[in-house]
Amino acid sequence: MDKLLSNIKIEVPEGIYLKNPESSELGKKIVQNSIILIDEIGFESFNFKKLGLLIGSNESSVYRYFESKHKLLIYLSSWYWRWLEYQLVIETFSIKDSKEKLEKAVEIVTRTTKEDQNFSHINEILLNKIIINENSKSYLTKSVDSENKQGYFLPYKRVVRRLADIISEYNNKYEFPLSLASSVTEGALHQQFMTQHFTSITNCNESVTPTQFYSHLVIKTLTNDN
């Protein structure tokens, strides 16, 4: 997988940015350090002035790439979901057994993120932490419908649809594949958040992972529905 991914370019919907940050070293530096800074201080406290100071550049240089920190968050979220989609495609492509394929897909969507050396300016571990803590802020806004029409959330939706297709492949009689797929995708982030902050109301912990929980939930649900 690493060899294949090294030749793949992660593409984010164009309307999210003013200038593609992948097109220059400064752009990559903006993305790299925004991940570090948001992870360190949180999205609420993050702004382009602080980012400019961190990268040793004017605040205005950041605005040449993104018109707002909201658009930057959508960019980071979109990059993450596109990266996850590639993993779904590559790691499940050659699996013929539908149950094995489903279990692998659930694992990919819910597992702990490891750093991918194919993208040196992106720390996927820190990015995953941002997605766990901040992802909902990218779409829980008044502008969600207009941004959705512009395709800003397509990478996230593609992950859900791919998982739904794999669910239907395992059990084509199941009536709610999209609802189950979106519940697993979003729920995995929620359970990872709970294990860090609200440990008293989740069974996930150091020995029980969200992957174990959702694998059990999905297989039981689809088996009982047969």
Side-chain angles (χ1 to χ4, degrees):
M1 186 187 76
D2 291 340
K3 186 175 181 181
L4 287 171
L5 276 174
S6 65
N7 297 316
I8 290 175
K9 180 181 178 182
I10 302 293
E11 296 182 354
V12 172
E14 291 184 0
I16 296 172
Y17 51 80
L18 299 173
K19 179 180 179 180
N20 189 348
E22 295 290 328
S23 66
S24 70
E25 288 305 312
L26 175 59
K28 292 179 180 179
K29 192 175 182 181
I30 287 171
V31 171
Q32 179 182 32
N33 286 277
S34 67
I35 292 171
I36 294 170
L37 190 57
I38 292 173
D39 175 64
E40 181 181 337
I41 67 175
F43 185 65
E44 289 87 353
S45 299
F46 171 85
N47 59 48
F48 287 172
K49 182 177 181 180
K50 293 176 182 178
L51 178 59
L53 289 172
L54 181 62
I55 64 176
S57 182
N58 293 328
E59 181 181 356
S60 59
S61 66
V62 183
Y63 279 106
R64 289 201 293 269
Y65 289 86
F66 299 98
E67 66 180 31
S68 66
K69 73 174 190 176
H70 172 64
K71 289 290 183 67
L72 174 57
L73 180 61
I74 295 177
Y75 179 89
L76 296 178
S77 175
S78 295
W79 195 99
Y80 174 83
W81 294 114
R82 286 290 282 161
W83 175 71
L84 196 66
E85 183 189 12
Y86 281 126
Q87 294 178 65
L88 265 175
V89 172
I90 291 170
E91 293 190 48
T92 64
F93 178 76
S94 61
I95 301 176
K96 304 302 179 184
D97 182 79
S98 61
K99 182 178 180 181
E100 181 183 352
K101 187 173 185 178
L102 176 59
E103 289 174 334
K104 172 55 71 173
V106 171
E107 176 195 336
I108 293 166
V109 172
T110 62
R111 68 190 176 190
T112 301
T113 297
K114 295 182 180 179
E115 190 168 1
D116 187 343
Q117 298 299 326
N118 293 300
F119 305 97
S120 58
H121 66 296
I122 302 285
N123 185 321
E124 292 81 10
I125 296 174
L126 293 185
L127 180 55
N128 176 243
K129 289 172 63 179
I130 291 172
I131 297 302
I132 291 170
N133 291 297
E134 316 282 8
N135 183 61
S136 62
K137 296 168 188 173
S138 68
Y139 59 81
L140 292 179
T141 66
K142 286 290 185 180
S143 57
V144 61
D145 290 330
S146 62
E147 291 175 344
N148 185 38
K149 288 178 181 178
Q150 294 177 70
Y152 291 1
F153 307 109
L154 277 175
Y156 173 69
K157 292 158 73 174
R158 284 168 64 96
V159 169
V160 172
R161 287 170 181 157
R162 284 190 181 277
L163 180 56
D165 287 344
I166 294 171
I167 288 170
S168 294
E169 186 179 332
Y170 176 69
N171 182 351
N172 59 16
K173 295 181 180 179
Y174 185 66
E175 297 181 272
F176 316 107
L178 283 168
S179 295
L180 182 58
S182 59
S183 295
V184 171
T185 305
E186 194 65 34
L189 299 178
H190 183 63
Q191 286 300 318
Q192 291 180 63
F193 182 89
M194 302 281 269
T195 59
Q196 297 173 28
H197 304 288
F198 298 142
T199 57
S200 63
I201 53 173
T202 179
N203 293 115
C204 294
N205 49 47
E206 292 181 359
S207 59
V208 179
T209 66
T211 297
Q212 290 172 290
F213 168 61
Y214 281 107
S215 294
H216 179 272
L217 176 66
V218 170
I219 296 301
K220 283 287 186 181
T221 298
L222 297 176
T223 300
N224 292 337
D225 191 68
N226 278 322

